[in-house]
Amino acid sequence: LAKTTQPISMDSYEGQEVNITCSHNNIATNDYITWYQQFPSQGPRFIIQGYKTKVTNEVASLFIPADRKSSTLSLPRVSLSDTAVYYCLVGENTPLVFGKGTRLSVIA
Amino acid sequence: DAGVTQSPTHLIKTRGQQVTLRCSPKSGHDTVSWYQQALGQGPQFIFQYYEEEERQRGNFPDRFSGHQYPNYSSELNVNALLLGDSALYLCASSIGLAGRGGQETQYFGPGTRLLVL
């Protein structure tokens, strides 16, 4: 399974756009890129999934370059409630393999 | 529509004891996966149940066992508890087995926080 590398933590002010980049140099042809969000004392929650180029939903956008060796989760205009740990996962099907994630702190 | 539910929410046990954690999947889901999340770490896959059988297993000892009932609910059993078993235990549900392309979206419950003294 492809290993991922993402920043341990990030800080942002409310209203800013936040971009979290994940490196996955050994991604395989059939692997998808999935992001989960986890609040304290809760289970992770699916945010977005993509295979290539750009995916957008009501919560976030996911940018994947042509070589697929990295991906960027973009959160538009973050609020205090976006403070959480964000996990980048790469793989095909199950099981889900989580790293340590990126702890995002949104400051007022 | 109820999401994934887990019980109990918190549990305190002593070393050597046994524990059973319970999970009810999201309505319409038939597959249950269990994860262990130590403090400051990401969740680690324990095993997955589908059609009342263990289908995949992570790198966990045989002290960790499970069961799935005909109504798709599931139990996680841990025997001979160690201090290192203290963690948040997460249950996730999904539909069917892998093979449909892409990582299947799993819906997680709030977890059971286990403390072993």
Side-chain angles (χ1 to χ4, degrees), chain B residues 14-92:
Chain B
T14 57
R15 281 178 297 175
Q17 285 190 313
Q18 177 265 345
V19 69
T20 297
L21 310 181
R22 296 176 175 81
C23 170
S24 291
K26 180 179 169 63
S27 178
H29 286 191
D30 56 8
T31 304
V32 173
S33 300
W34 286 92
Y35 293 80
Q36 178 195 66
Q37 185 173 24
L39 204 59
Q41 305 294 317
Q44 301 299 306
F45 174 74
I46 303 175
F47 43 53
Q48 181 184 69
Y49 275 83
Y50 173 72
E51 291 188 337
E52 302 179 49
E53 290 188 12
E54 182 182 294
R55 298 292 179 163
Q56 293 188 75
R57 189 179 183 92
N59 188 26
F60 279 81
D62 292 344
R63 298 187 298 110
F64 290 77
S65 63
H67 187 79
Q68 185 179 35
Y69 294 93
N71 66 353
Y72 310 124
S73 67
S74 177
E75 290 180 352
L76 164 65
N77 300 294
V78 186
N79 294 322
L81 284 167
L82 304 174
L83 296 179
D85 294 332
S86 296
L88 180 68
Y89 288 85
L90 295 162
C91 169

Side-chain angles (χ1 to χ4, degrees), chain A residues 32 34 36 38 49 93-94, chain B residues 37 42 56 98 102-104 106:
Chain A
Y32 279 69
T34 311
Y36 279 78
Q38 185 176 26
Q49 182 180 95
N93 305 314
T94 56
Chain B
Q37 185 173 24
Q56 293 188 75
Q103 284 187 317
E104 58 184 12
Q106 295 198 358

Side-chain angles (χ1 to χ4, degrees), chain A:
Chain A
L1 297 172
K3 182 180 177 180
T4 60
T5 302
Q6 49 183 126
I8 294 174
S9 63
M10 295 181 67
D11 294 333
S12 177
Y13 287 101
E14 273 191 300
Q16 288 189 327
E17 177 185 74
V18 171
N19 296 310
I20 305 175
T21 297
C22 178
S23 297
H24 28 82
N25 292 319
N26 297 321
I27 190 168
T29 302
N30 295 332
D31 286 345
Y32 279 69
I33 300 156
T34 311
W35 286 79
Y36 279 78
Q37 173 194 55
Q38 185 176 26
F39 298 114
S41 299
Q42 293 187 27
R45 181 177 75 103
F46 172 88
I47 300 176
I48 197 166
Q49 182 180 95
Y51 183 80
K52 61 181 179 180
T53 63
K54 176 184 174 182
V55 179
T56 297
N57 61 23
E58 65 278 5
V59 177
S61 294
L62 179 59
F63 299 92
I64 306 168
D67 65 6
R68 303 199 331 121
K69 293 184 182 300
S70 67
S71 58
T72 298
L73 174 72
S74 181
L75 303 173
R77 299 179 298 283
V78 295
S79 64
L80 295 176
S81 63
D82 292 316
T83 294
V85 178
Y86 292 82
Y87 295 97
C88 167
L89 285 70
V90 173
E92 180 186 16
N93 305 314
T94 56
L96 301 181
V97 179
F98 290 84
K100 293 187 177 182
T102 297
R103 185 173 299 277
L104 172 66
S105 298
V106 180
I107 308 164

